[in-house]
Amino acid sequence: MISARHAPHEKMAFQLTLRRRGISDQAVLRAMEAIPREAFVEQGDEGYAYRDAALPIACGQTISQPFVVAYMTEQLQLKPYHRVLEIGTGSGYQAAVLSRLARDVVTLERFRFLAERAKSRLAALGCGNVEVLIGDGFDVPDSAGRFDRVIVTAAMEDIPEGLLRHLAPEGLLIAPVGPPSGSQVLVRLRGTGDGFERTNLIGVRFVPALPGIAREM
């Protein structure tokens, strides 16, 4: 349920903003409409949940602005039978949106606090096809297998080979690439059978992806 403090016109404006900025995939728009964004922001920020802006969350991380979430999701070209890997669970919002569009979602988070809180939020919303794991996005275990789609929600200076090994043949990977304090670009890699085809999409600004599992907060 959407909180009563968010009037229908606010949700309508939210959808119109996404459409005006070029989001046209109806399945993505429906998923964005179905997931209550206010359930994923920090207490006290609920009134800003449907603004097209990133918001701070715990552990020095952010919940991405709605347009970026929708754009990255649209660029994944998801099908209902896809298995998706997300690096950087954060609030759990992106994983919730993905859960509406894919068969299974595995999401890795290096902060235990964020992982546990996201797990509770996703369970409360009935996102039973999402598995939240505490782990290192730079060192995904081989046991995780391969994925049709991979999405990274923190900036990497380079996409590690170890992550690419988890991408199925002809799969898609979306990630912000660039230095932590400089310009970053959203990159899409498509498997071609004998390598990867790279497409630079839009300029973005993400918090940096860090290796290892964070110490307890």
PDB file of all heavy atoms in Angstrom, residues 77-99:
ATOM      1  N   GLN A  77      16.505  -4.654 -20.721  1.00  0.00           N
ATOM      2  CA  GLN A  77      15.674  -5.410 -21.666  1.00  0.00           C
ATOM      3  C   GLN A  77      15.246  -6.753 -21.065  1.00  0.00           C
ATOM      4  O   GLN A  77      15.463  -7.828 -21.633  1.00  0.00           O
ATOM      5  CB  GLN A  77      16.413  -5.609 -22.994  1.00  0.00           C
ATOM      6  CG  GLN A  77      16.840  -4.300 -23.650  1.00  0.00           C
ATOM      7  CD  GLN A  77      17.764  -4.501 -24.841  1.00  0.00           C
ATOM      8  OE1 GLN A  77      17.873  -5.592 -25.395  1.00  0.00           O
ATOM      9  NE2 GLN A  77      18.442  -3.434 -25.250  1.00  0.00           N
ATOM     10  N   LEU A  78      14.632  -6.667 -19.918  1.00  0.00           N
ATOM     11  CA  LEU A  78      14.299  -7.866 -19.148  1.00  0.00           C
ATOM     12  C   LEU A  78      13.143  -8.659 -19.744  1.00  0.00           C
ATOM     13  O   LEU A  78      12.190  -8.104 -20.279  1.00  0.00           O
ATOM     14  CB  LEU A  78      13.944  -7.468 -17.709  1.00  0.00           C
ATOM     15  CG  LEU A  78      15.119  -7.003 -16.849  1.00  0.00           C
ATOM     16  CD1 LEU A  78      14.622  -6.298 -15.610  1.00  0.00           C
ATOM     17  CD2 LEU A  78      16.012  -8.182 -16.484  1.00  0.00           C
ATOM     18  N   LYS A  79      13.251  -9.976 -19.590  1.00  0.00           N
ATOM     19  CA  LYS A  79      12.185 -10.906 -19.937  1.00  0.00           C
ATOM     20  C   LYS A  79      11.773 -11.659 -18.669  1.00  0.00           C
ATOM     21  O   LYS A  79      12.576 -11.817 -17.733  1.00  0.00           O
ATOM     22  CB  LYS A  79      12.649 -11.902 -20.994  1.00  0.00           C
ATOM     23  CG  LYS A  79      13.142 -11.262 -22.287  1.00  0.00           C
ATOM     24  CD  LYS A  79      12.038 -10.515 -23.007  1.00  0.00           C
ATOM     25  CE  LYS A  79      12.534  -9.949 -24.326  1.00  0.00           C
ATOM     26  NZ  LYS A  79      11.499  -9.113 -24.994  1.00  0.00           N
ATOM     27  N   PRO A  80      10.532 -12.141 -18.609  1.00  0.00           N
ATOM     28  CA  PRO A  80      10.047 -12.803 -17.391  1.00  0.00           C
ATOM     29  C   PRO A  80      10.838 -14.034 -16.978  1.00  0.00           C
ATOM     30  O   PRO A  80      10.758 -14.455 -15.817  1.00  0.00           O
ATOM     31  CB  PRO A  80       8.598 -13.175 -17.754  1.00  0.00           C
ATOM     32  CG  PRO A  80       8.213 -12.223 -18.827  1.00  0.00           C
ATOM     33  CD  PRO A  80       9.467 -11.983 -19.611  1.00  0.00           C
ATOM     34  N   TYR A  81      11.589 -14.629 -17.898  1.00  0.00           N
ATOM     35  CA  TYR A  81      12.347 -15.844 -17.571  1.00  0.00           C
ATOM     36  C   TYR A  81      13.794 -15.539 -17.177  1.00  0.00           C
ATOM     37  O   TYR A  81      14.576 -16.448 -16.915  1.00  0.00           O
ATOM     38  CB  TYR A  81      12.328 -16.811 -18.757  1.00  0.00           C
ATOM     39  CG  TYR A  81      12.791 -16.200 -20.066  1.00  0.00           C
ATOM     40  CD1 TYR A  81      14.144 -16.097 -20.388  1.00  0.00           C
ATOM     41  CD2 TYR A  81      11.860 -15.726 -20.983  1.00  0.00           C
ATOM     42  CE1 TYR A  81      14.569 -15.539 -21.579  1.00  0.00           C
ATOM     43  CE2 TYR A  81      12.270 -15.154 -22.187  1.00  0.00           C
ATOM     44  CZ  TYR A  81      13.616 -15.069 -22.479  1.00  0.00           C
ATOM     45  OH  TYR A  81      14.019 -14.511 -23.667  1.00  0.00           O
ATOM     46  N   HIS A  82      14.183 -14.287 -17.115  1.00  0.00           N
ATOM     47  CA  HIS A  82      15.571 -13.932 -16.828  1.00  0.00           C
ATOM     48  C   HIS A  82      15.937 -14.106 -15.352  1.00  0.00           C
ATOM     49  O   HIS A  82      15.114 -13.892 -14.455  1.00  0.00           O
ATOM     50  CB  HIS A  82      15.843 -12.481 -17.223  1.00  0.00           C
ATOM     51  CG  HIS A  82      16.089 -12.306 -18.692  1.00  0.00           C
ATOM     52  ND1 HIS A  82      15.942 -11.099 -19.343  1.00  0.00           N
ATOM     53  CD2 HIS A  82      16.477 -13.199 -19.649  1.00  0.00           C
ATOM     54  CE1 HIS A  82      16.230 -11.247 -20.625  1.00  0.00           C
ATOM     55  NE2 HIS A  82      16.555 -12.513 -20.821  1.00  0.00           N
ATOM     56  N   ARG A  83      17.198 -14.432 -15.148  1.00  0.00           N
ATOM     57  CA  ARG A  83      17.808 -14.471 -13.825  1.00  0.00           C
ATOM     58  C   ARG A  83      18.756 -13.275 -13.749  1.00  0.00           C
ATOM     59  O   ARG A  83      19.606 -13.097 -14.619  1.00  0.00           O
ATOM     60  CB  ARG A  83      18.566 -15.784 -13.632  1.00  0.00           C
ATOM     61  CG  ARG A  83      19.143 -15.984 -12.249  1.00  0.00           C
ATOM     62  CD  ARG A  83      19.668 -17.412 -12.081  1.00  0.00           C
ATOM     63  NE  ARG A  83      20.096 -17.644 -10.718  1.00  0.00           N
ATOM     64  CZ  ARG A  83      21.348 -17.867 -10.353  1.00  0.00           C
ATOM     65  NH1 ARG A  83      22.329 -17.892 -11.271  1.00  0.00           N
ATOM     66  NH2 ARG A  83      21.664 -18.052  -9.098  1.00  0.00           N
ATOM     67  N   VAL A  84      18.613 -12.463 -12.701  1.00  0.00           N
ATOM     68  CA  VAL A  84      19.326 -11.186 -12.616  1.00  0.00           C
ATOM     69  C   VAL A  84      20.209 -11.144 -11.378  1.00  0.00           C
ATOM     70  O   VAL A  84      19.805 -11.561 -10.286  1.00  0.00           O
ATOM     71  CB  VAL A  84      18.332 -10.009 -12.565  1.00  0.00           C
ATOM     72  CG1 VAL A  84      19.074  -8.672 -12.539  1.00  0.00           C
ATOM     73  CG2 VAL A  84      17.375 -10.050 -13.752  1.00  0.00           C
ATOM     74  N   LEU A  85      21.410 -10.608 -11.558  1.00  0.00           N
ATOM     75  CA  LEU A  85      22.324 -10.343 -10.442  1.00  0.00           C
ATOM     76  C   LEU A  85      22.449  -8.842 -10.272  1.00  0.00           C
ATOM     77  O   LEU A  85      22.733  -8.114 -11.225  1.00  0.00           O
ATOM     78  CB  LEU A  85      23.707 -10.934 -10.727  1.00  0.00           C
ATOM     79  CG  LEU A  85      24.823 -10.579  -9.734  1.00  0.00           C
ATOM     80  CD1 LEU A  85      24.528 -11.145  -8.347  1.00  0.00           C
ATOM     81  CD2 LEU A  85      26.182 -11.074 -10.245  1.00  0.00           C
ATOM     82  N   GLU A  86      22.233  -8.372  -9.049  1.00  0.00           N
ATOM     83  CA  GLU A  86      22.432  -6.964  -8.721  1.00  0.00           C
ATOM     84  C   GLU A  86      23.609  -6.845  -7.758  1.00  0.00           C
ATOM     85  O   GLU A  86      23.663  -7.552  -6.752  1.00  0.00           O
ATOM     86  CB  GLU A  86      21.187  -6.356  -8.071  1.00  0.00           C
ATOM     87  CG  GLU A  86      21.385  -4.893  -7.698  1.00  0.00           C
ATOM     88  CD  GLU A  86      20.272  -4.333  -6.829  1.00  0.00           C
ATOM     89  OE1 GLU A  86      19.651  -5.111  -6.068  1.00  0.00           O
ATOM     90  OE2 GLU A  86      20.039  -3.121  -6.889  1.00  0.00           O
ATOM     91  N   ILE A  87      24.527  -5.934  -8.069  1.00  0.00           N
ATOM     92  CA  ILE A  87      25.636  -5.636  -7.176  1.00  0.00           C
ATOM     93  C   ILE A  87      25.342  -4.313  -6.490  1.00  0.00           C
ATOM     94  O   ILE A  87      25.300  -3.267  -7.130  1.00  0.00           O
ATOM     95  CB  ILE A  87      26.971  -5.541  -7.949  1.00  0.00           C
ATOM     96  CG1 ILE A  87      27.254  -6.842  -8.728  1.00  0.00           C
ATOM     97  CG2 ILE A  87      28.116  -5.221  -6.995  1.00  0.00           C
ATOM     98  CD1 ILE A  87      27.375  -8.066  -7.868  1.00  0.00           C
ATOM     99  N   GLY A  88      25.108  -4.376  -5.181  1.00  0.00           N
ATOM    100  CA  GLY A  88      24.792  -3.170  -4.418  1.00  0.00           C
ATOM    101  C   GLY A  88      23.316  -3.075  -4.101  1.00  0.00           C
ATOM    102  O   GLY A  88      22.580  -2.330  -4.752  1.00  0.00           O
ATOM    103  N   THR A  89      22.862  -3.807  -3.089  1.00  0.00           N
ATOM    104  CA  THR A  89      21.440  -3.828  -2.743  1.00  0.00           C
ATOM    105  C   THR A  89      20.950  -2.478  -2.264  1.00  0.00           C
ATOM    106  O   THR A  89      19.853  -2.046  -2.619  1.00  0.00           O
ATOM    107  CB  THR A  89      21.181  -4.875  -1.634  1.00  0.00           C
ATOM    108  OG1 THR A  89      21.784  -6.101  -1.993  1.00  0.00           O
ATOM    109  CG2 THR A  89      19.701  -5.051  -1.386  1.00  0.00           C
ATOM    110  N   GLY A  90      21.759  -1.822  -1.425  1.00  0.00           N
ATOM    111  CA  GLY A  90      21.350  -0.534  -0.875  1.00  0.00           C
ATOM    112  C   GLY A  90      20.053  -0.636  -0.118  1.00  0.00           C
ATOM    113  O   GLY A  90      19.884  -1.483   0.762  1.00  0.00           O
ATOM    114  N   SER A  91      19.089   0.189  -0.473  1.00  0.00           N
ATOM    115  CA  SER A  91      17.790   0.201   0.206  1.00  0.00           C
ATOM    116  C   SER A  91      16.943  -1.012  -0.156  1.00  0.00           C
ATOM    117  O   SER A  91      16.009  -1.374   0.562  1.00  0.00           O
ATOM    118  CB  SER A  91      17.021   1.466  -0.170  1.00  0.00           C
ATOM    119  OG  SER A  91      16.632   1.417  -1.538  1.00  0.00           O
ATOM    120  N   GLY A  92      17.230  -1.625  -1.295  1.00  0.00           N
ATOM    121  CA  GLY A  92      16.407  -2.727  -1.794  1.00  0.00           C
ATOM    122  C   GLY A  92      15.415  -2.303  -2.860  1.00  0.00           C
ATOM    123  O   GLY A  92      14.733  -3.147  -3.449  1.00  0.00           O
ATOM    124  N   TYR A  93      15.349  -1.001  -3.155  1.00  0.00           N
ATOM    125  CA  TYR A  93      14.356  -0.488  -4.098  1.00  0.00           C
ATOM    126  C   TYR A  93      14.562  -1.021  -5.512  1.00  0.00           C
ATOM    127  O   TYR A  93      13.618  -1.484  -6.156  1.00  0.00           O
ATOM    128  CB  TYR A  93      14.384   1.041  -4.091  1.00  0.00           C
ATOM    129  CG  TYR A  93      13.403   1.695  -5.036  1.00  0.00           C
ATOM    130  CD1 TYR A  93      12.030   1.551  -4.853  1.00  0.00           C
ATOM    131  CD2 TYR A  93      13.849   2.466  -6.109  1.00  0.00           C
ATOM    132  CE1 TYR A  93      11.119   2.156  -5.718  1.00  0.00           C
ATOM    133  CE2 TYR A  93      12.952   3.073  -6.974  1.00  0.00           C
ATOM    134  CZ  TYR A  93      11.600   2.910  -6.774  1.00  0.00           C
ATOM    135  OH  TYR A  93      10.700   3.509  -7.627  1.00  0.00           O
ATOM    136  N   GLN A  94      15.791  -0.963  -6.016  1.00  0.00           N
ATOM    137  CA  GLN A  94      16.051  -1.461  -7.361  1.00  0.00           C
ATOM    138  C   GLN A  94      15.706  -2.945  -7.456  1.00  0.00           C
ATOM    139  O   GLN A  94      15.107  -3.388  -8.442  1.00  0.00           O
ATOM    140  CB  GLN A  94      17.514  -1.223  -7.743  1.00  0.00           C
ATOM    141  CG  GLN A  94      17.935  -1.786  -9.088  1.00  0.00           C
ATOM    142  CD  GLN A  94      17.390  -1.019 -10.269  1.00  0.00           C
ATOM    143  OE1 GLN A  94      17.891   0.045 -10.626  1.00  0.00           O
ATOM    144  NE2 GLN A  94      16.340  -1.568 -10.889  1.00  0.00           N
ATOM    145  N   ALA A  95      16.068  -3.719  -6.460  1.00  0.00           N
ATOM    146  CA  ALA A  95      15.757  -5.151  -6.470  1.00  0.00           C
ATOM    147  C   ALA A  95      14.249  -5.386  -6.494  1.00  0.00           C
ATOM    148  O   ALA A  95      13.762  -6.309  -7.156  1.00  0.00           O
ATOM    149  CB  ALA A  95      16.381  -5.830  -5.257  1.00  0.00           C
ATOM    150  N   ALA A  96      13.505  -4.559  -5.780  1.00  0.00           N
ATOM    151  CA  ALA A  96      12.045  -4.692  -5.767  1.00  0.00           C
ATOM    152  C   ALA A  96      11.468  -4.446  -7.150  1.00  0.00           C
ATOM    153  O   ALA A  96      10.570  -5.168  -7.604  1.00  0.00           O
ATOM    154  CB  ALA A  96      11.443  -3.724  -4.753  1.00  0.00           C
ATOM    155  N   VAL A  97      11.975  -3.429  -7.840  1.00  0.00           N
ATOM    156  CA  VAL A  97      11.515  -3.148  -9.200  1.00  0.00           C
ATOM    157  C   VAL A  97      11.865  -4.315 -10.122  1.00  0.00           C
ATOM    158  O   VAL A  97      11.028  -4.780 -10.908  1.00  0.00           O
ATOM    159  CB  VAL A  97      12.131  -1.830  -9.718  1.00  0.00           C
ATOM    160  CG1 VAL A  97      11.815  -1.626 -11.196  1.00  0.00           C
ATOM    161  CG2 VAL A  97      11.622  -0.643  -8.898  1.00  0.00           C
ATOM    162  N   LEU A  98      13.088  -4.820 -10.012  1.00  0.00           N
ATOM    163  CA  LEU A  98      13.510  -5.952 -10.835  1.00  0.00           C
ATOM    164  C   LEU A  98      12.641  -7.191 -10.588  1.00  0.00           C
ATOM    165  O   LEU A  98      12.375  -7.966 -11.510  1.00  0.00           O
ATOM    166  CB  LEU A  98      14.976  -6.289 -10.548  1.00  0.00           C
ATOM    167  CG  LEU A  98      16.017  -5.240 -10.939  1.00  0.00           C
ATOM    168  CD1 LEU A  98      17.383  -5.632 -10.395  1.00  0.00           C
ATOM    169  CD2 LEU A  98      16.076  -5.058 -12.452  1.00  0.00           C
ATOM    170  N   SER A  99      12.206  -7.359  -9.346  1.00  0.00           N
ATOM    171  CA  SER A  99      11.427  -8.541  -8.993  1.00  0.00           C
ATOM    172  C   SER A  99      10.112  -8.629  -9.760  1.00  0.00           C
ATOM    173  O   SER A  99       9.551  -9.711  -9.925  1.00  0.00           O
ATOM    174  CB  SER A  99      11.150  -8.570  -7.486  1.00  0.00           C
ATOM    175  OG  SER A  99      10.125  -7.645  -7.123  1.00  0.00           O
TER     176      SER A  99
END
